[in-house]
């Protein structure tokens, strides 16, 4: 087909190059034994319970470009990755599978339309048994994510990947990290409301509880330093973009503060010398 000839030609080049990278293990990097310069980059742990989205690839593409540059400069480069396998979501999928086998088994309260749950629809009952184990879901979902990143040609050393869930080494690292922050008085703990699950006997995460319950949002204020001419009337005011997030842990990585398809307005609140765009 003349319409796809160029695309197919580039696709063949892409596949050939990726096969060569895999065969020659170009992205596998061991610890140096000499004084060769080193460079490493990281990537925020992806949530593998959900399918990879295009905006999640932006940070790792930047890391991949940086590592490729330094590899060409002769440095020993490593780009590792880890998978954040949230225990509550993975357990919910395992419980959902168990309910398909045993209708009397109590199911999770709410499903978010996870595409992973569609896997169950394609399984025979004897195959479902393995998916009642949460670890099985972690393996399947991480394999899908690895496949997507490999198709993009990201230069990851897959020998170094791991799960953050049920990992004593990673837990020890976090404990050490937070202890250091606490000792330096940079960690402040304040009380907050949580939801307790009588079924599991533990506190329930925001994204796995009953959605009919109220949710406490957190608004992140991003100040606009260079005002466009459309906002020149507010040049004497402090203008902020408001980005909404539910879990406080995501405040430090908030990036989706603008959607091109959404309608935005400019608002003022009585008593505040500030202007908000949301």
């Amino acid at each position: 087909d003349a319409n796809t000839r160029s695309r197919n030609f580039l696709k063949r080049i892409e596949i050939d190059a990726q096969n060569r990278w895999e065969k020659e293990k170009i992205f596998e990097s061991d610890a140096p034994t000499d004084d060769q310069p080193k460079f490493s980059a990281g990537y925020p742990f992806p949530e593998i319970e959900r399918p990879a989205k295009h905006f999640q690839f932006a940070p790792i593409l930047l890391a991949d470009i940086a590592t490729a540059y330094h590899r060409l400069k002769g440095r020993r480069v490593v780009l590792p990755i880890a998978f954040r396998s949230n225990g509550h979501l993975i357990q919910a999928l395992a419980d959902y599978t168990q309910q398909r086998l045993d209708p009397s088994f109590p199911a999770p309260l709410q499903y978010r339309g996870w595409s992973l749950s569609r896997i169950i629809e394609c399984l025979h009952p004897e195959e479902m048994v393995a998916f009642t184990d949460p670890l099985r879901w972690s393996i399947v979902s991480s394999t899908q994510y690895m496949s997507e990143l490999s198709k993009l040609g990201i230069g990851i050393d897959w020998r170094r990947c791991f799960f953050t869930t049920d990992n004593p080494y990673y837990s020890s690292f976090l404990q050490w990290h937070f202890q250091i922050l606490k000792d330096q008085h940079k960690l402040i703990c304040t009380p907050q409301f949580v939801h307790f699950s009588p079924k599991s006997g533990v506190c329930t995460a925001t994204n796995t509880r009953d959605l009919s319950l109220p949710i406490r949002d957190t608004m992140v204020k991003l100040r606009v330093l260079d005002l466009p001419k459309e906002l020149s009337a507010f040049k004497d005011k402090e203008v902020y973009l408001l980005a909404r997030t539910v879990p406080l842990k995501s405040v430090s990585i908030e990036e989706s503060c603008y959607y091109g398809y959404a309608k935005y307005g400019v608002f003022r609140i009585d008593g505040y010398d500030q202007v908000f765009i949301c």
Side-chain angles (χ1 to χ4, degrees):
D1 188 349
N3 295 326
T4 59
R5 184 181 298 114
S6 297
R7 185 206 65 181
N8 295 340
F9 174 72
L10 294 175
K11 193 67 178 179
R12 286 194 297 270
I13 296 177
E14 179 184 65
I15 294 175
D16 292 342
Q18 292 180 1
N19 290 337
R20 178 187 172 187
W21 296 341
E22 182 177 2
K23 180 180 179 180
E24 298 181 5
K25 303 183 183 302
I26 292 178
F27 303 130
E28 294 185 4
S29 182
D30 297 322
T33 57
D34 49 24
D35 295 331
Q36 181 182 3
K38 299 176 292 184
F39 179 82
S40 64
Y43 172 60
F45 304 143
E47 293 186 352
I48 58 175
E49 299 87 358
R50 299 178 177 88
K53 298 180 176 60
H54 64 279
F55 66 82
Q56 294 176 322
F57 291 136
I60 199 170
L61 284 173
L62 294 176
D64 182 61
I65 292 172
T67 52
Y69 168 79
H70 286 282
R71 187 180 293 109
L72 291 174
K73 297 288 287 186
R75 296 179 175 90
R76 187 178 293 270
V77 171
V78 62
L79 177 58
I81 192 172
F83 296 110
R84 178 175 177 265
S85 181
N86 188 307
H88 289 87
L89 297 178
I90 289 295
Q91 184 63 55
L93 286 168
D95 290 347
Y96 179 50
T97 309
Q98 183 65 46
Q99 189 199 42
R100 294 295 302 271
L101 295 172
D102 180 8
S104 64
F105 188 83
L109 290 175
Q110 187 66 242
Y111 297 107
R112 295 292 182 91
W114 302 315
S115 64
L116 285 175
S117 62
R118 299 175 186 172
I119 296 176
I120 305 175
E121 312 296 334
C122 304
L123 297 176
H124 295 290
E126 58 270 17
E127 296 175 311
M128 287 186 186
V129 176
F131 285 88
T132 59
D133 180 5
L135 181 59
R136 178 66 175 176
W137 282 105
S138 297
I139 295 174
V140 170
S141 53
S142 63
T143 301
Q144 290 183 342
Y145 213 101
M146 292 169 64
S147 175
E148 294 295 329
L149 293 178
S150 296
K151 289 178 182 178
L152 282 176
I154 305 297
I156 295 175
D157 187 349
W158 292 114
R159 302 173 303 167
R160 303 177 183 271
C161 66
F162 64 89
F163 293 117
T164 62
T165 304
D166 194 22
N167 187 324
Y169 301 101
Y170 182 73
S171 297
S172 296
F173 166 74
L174 287 184
Q175 292 173 9
W176 168 81
H177 188 193
F178 275 86
Q179 188 63 48
I180 293 294
L181 293 175
K182 182 180 179 182
D183 293 342
Q184 296 178 355
H185 305 288
K186 295 182 179 180
L187 185 63
I188 301 176
C189 297
T190 58
Q192 60 177 326
F193 293 103
V194 298
H195 294 83
F196 181 78
S197 172
K199 174 188 171 184
S200 60
V202 297
C203 295
T204 305
T206 302
N207 52 6
T208 56
R209 63 182 175 84
D210 187 353
L211 294 184
S212 63
L213 299 175
I215 297 178
R216 184 178 180 180
D217 293 341
T218 299
M219 306 301 294
V220 181
K221 294 167 60 177
L222 305 174
R223 186 170 181 180
V224 180
L225 299 179
D226 298 321
L227 295 179
K229 61 180 181 179
E230 290 81 1
L231 298 177
S232 58
F234 306 105
K235 60 182 180 180
D236 297 330
K237 307 291 183 182
E238 294 182 0
V239 181
Y240 292 93
L241 299 175
L242 285 184
R244 170 188 173 272
T245 182
V246 176
L248 289 174
K249 64 187 178 182
S250 63
V251 169
S252 61
I253 58 173
E254 185 64 49
E255 59 182 21
S256 301
C257 57
Y258 174 77
Y259 293 92
Y261 58 82
K263 293 183 179 180
Y264 289 86
V266 181
F267 302 91
R268 293 182 58 187
I269 301 177
D270 294 339
Y272 289 87
D273 193 26
Q274 298 176 347
V275 177
F276 301 100
I277 300 176
C278 53

